[in-house]
């Protein structure tokens, strides 16, 4: 079975990271910003697993990716709870309206 070249995996990770960063910087809806942060975490996970694939004796990359996934899941739960409370208070999830820029 042929391996996918490391460059292709790193390019995919860079694309995921760029899309996540674009969502965080340009979108106004809090849930979309959280999805952008998740894309950034997934790009980091992809890079960690790609590097660990080329060092099969050490499972460090996969172990770090597992920790990142656990932290991302906890972050998502807490962040969505915060967004729900903010929505109940302000009746909007638009970040600009919440901070008073509009």
């Amino acid at each position: 079975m042929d391996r996918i070249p490391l460059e292709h995996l790193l390019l995919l990770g860079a694309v995921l990271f760029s899309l996540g960063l674009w969502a965080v910087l340009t979108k106004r809806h809090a849930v979309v910003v959280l999805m952008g942060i998740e894309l950034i975490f997934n790009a980091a996970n992809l890079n960690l697993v790609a590097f660990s694939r080329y060092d099969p004796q050490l499972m460090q990359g996969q172990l770090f990716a597992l920790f990142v996934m656990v932290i991302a899941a906890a972050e998502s739960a807490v962040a969505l709870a915060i967004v729900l409370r903010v929505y109940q208070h302000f009746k909007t999830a638009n970040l600009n309206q919440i901070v008073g820029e509009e």
Side-chain angles (χ1 to χ4, degrees):
M1 185 167 121
D2 293 330
R3 284 188 167 188
I4 299 172
L6 181 62
E7 295 82 17
H8 292 179
L9 295 172
L10 294 179
L11 180 65
L12 179 60
V15 168
L16 281 174
F17 183 85
S18 299
L19 287 172
L21 187 63
W22 174 78
V24 168
L25 294 177
T26 61
K27 297 303 178 182
R28 296 180 179 163
H29 199 277
V31 175
V32 177
V33 171
L34 291 175
M35 287 192 295
I37 292 170
E38 290 300 320
L39 276 176
I40 291 171
F41 282 144
N42 287 331
N45 278 341
L46 179 63
N47 287 339
L48 288 170
V49 172
F51 284 126
S52 74
R53 188 173 176 194
Y54 287 89
D55 189 16
Q57 303 305 325
L58 302 172
M59 299 284 287
Q60 293 173 350
Q62 293 174 355
L63 190 61
F64 284 134
L66 181 64
F67 286 139
V68 169
M69 284 189 279
V70 169
I71 291 169
E75 173 261 335
S76 294
V78 171
L80 286 174
I82 291 170
V83 167
L84 285 173
R85 296 297 293 176
V86 167
Y87 183 79
Q88 286 177 351
H89 184 265
F90 291 103
K91 303 297 184 222
T92 184
N94 188 328
L95 296 176
N96 287 341
Q97 291 176 350
I98 292 170
V99 296
E101 291 181 9
E102 284 185 7

